[in-house]
Amino acid sequence: ILQKMIGYEGHTTHDVAHLLKVWGYAHTIGLLEHLDERTLHTLEIAAIVHDIACPLCRIRYGNTNGKYQELESPALVRAFLSDCGLDASELERIVYLVSHHHTITDVQGLDYQILLEADFLVNADESSFSLENIRKMDEILFKTKTGKALLKSIYKF
């Protein structure tokens, strides 16, 4: 799935680097938060495909706004993963995670929480978020012990 996503049409080198970083953080947090094997597998796939809608959103909307990504993601994720041997419940969980990865309210499940944290860790760096913004998100978004430790270690607060 990773190799297939790296070759996904329309992805930029930035997109590939971003998905690899989010996947790495999601994997690390998931392991250190002791996710079971199935949940970790689902989380990792969601992290790999979480920005699958970016190329389409650039064309259709002229930007990659999170709400547009969430709107366009379900059909793209289902089509992309249709031949990957996932069972229906795993596929639907991945679709749910990807189509909510910019929604920080009503977070249901540790896999969802970890995907949000992993994506923020990467976005904070790539978008040069202010330390004030990062500290605020530590209070608002971060819930896992591992995610909080990474955020504080990386941003030195």
Side-chain angles (χ1 to χ4, degrees), residues 143-157:
K143 307 284 186 238
T144 70
K145 181 179 177 182
T146 306
K148 283 182 161 294
L150 284 169
L151 188 69
K152 289 176 181 175
S153 176
I154 292 165
Y155 295 101
K156 312 293 187 225
F157 68 94

Side-chain angles (χ1 to χ4, degrees), residues 35-87:
L35 288 183
D36 64 85
E37 188 175 320
R38 180 181 170 90
T39 305
L40 181 61
H41 184 250
T42 301
L43 168 63
E44 288 188 58
I45 294 171
I48 290 167
V49 301
H50 79 282
D51 279 346
I52 194 168
C54 285
L56 174 64
C57 289
R58 284 186 196 103
I59 293 166
R60 187 168 286 169
Y61 305 104
N63 64 67
T64 58
N65 177 282
K67 292 303 170 192
Y68 294 146
Q69 288 183 51
E70 290 182 345
L71 176 70
E72 299 293 348
S73 291
L76 295 171
V77 171
R78 283 189 184 93
F80 183 82
L81 296 175
S82 66
D83 63 350
C84 292
L86 301 169
D87 67 44

Side-chain angles (χ1 to χ4, degrees), residues 73-143:
S73 291
L76 295 171
V77 171
R78 283 189 184 93
F80 183 82
L81 296 175
S82 66
D83 63 350
C84 292
L86 301 169
D87 67 44
S89 65
E90 190 171 27
L91 176 61
E92 288 311 306
R93 184 61 180 170
I94 294 164
V95 168
Y96 179 82
L97 293 173
V98 173
S99 64
H100 289 82
H101 82 276
H102 285 281
T103 302
I104 65 170
T105 56
D106 196 28
V107 175
Q108 298 177 14
L110 189 53
D111 52 352
Y112 184 174
Q113 180 63 42
I114 292 170
L115 182 60
L116 291 172
E117 292 178 9
D119 198 29
F120 183 84
L121 285 165
V122 176
N123 287 333
D125 176 53
E126 291 177 351
S127 298
S128 300
F129 290 172
S130 70
L131 188 55
E132 179 183 332
N133 183 339
I134 292 167
R135 284 183 175 166
K136 184 174 182 172
M137 291 307 285
D138 176 44
E139 295 172 15
I140 294 170
L141 174 66
F142 281 74
K143 307 284 186 238

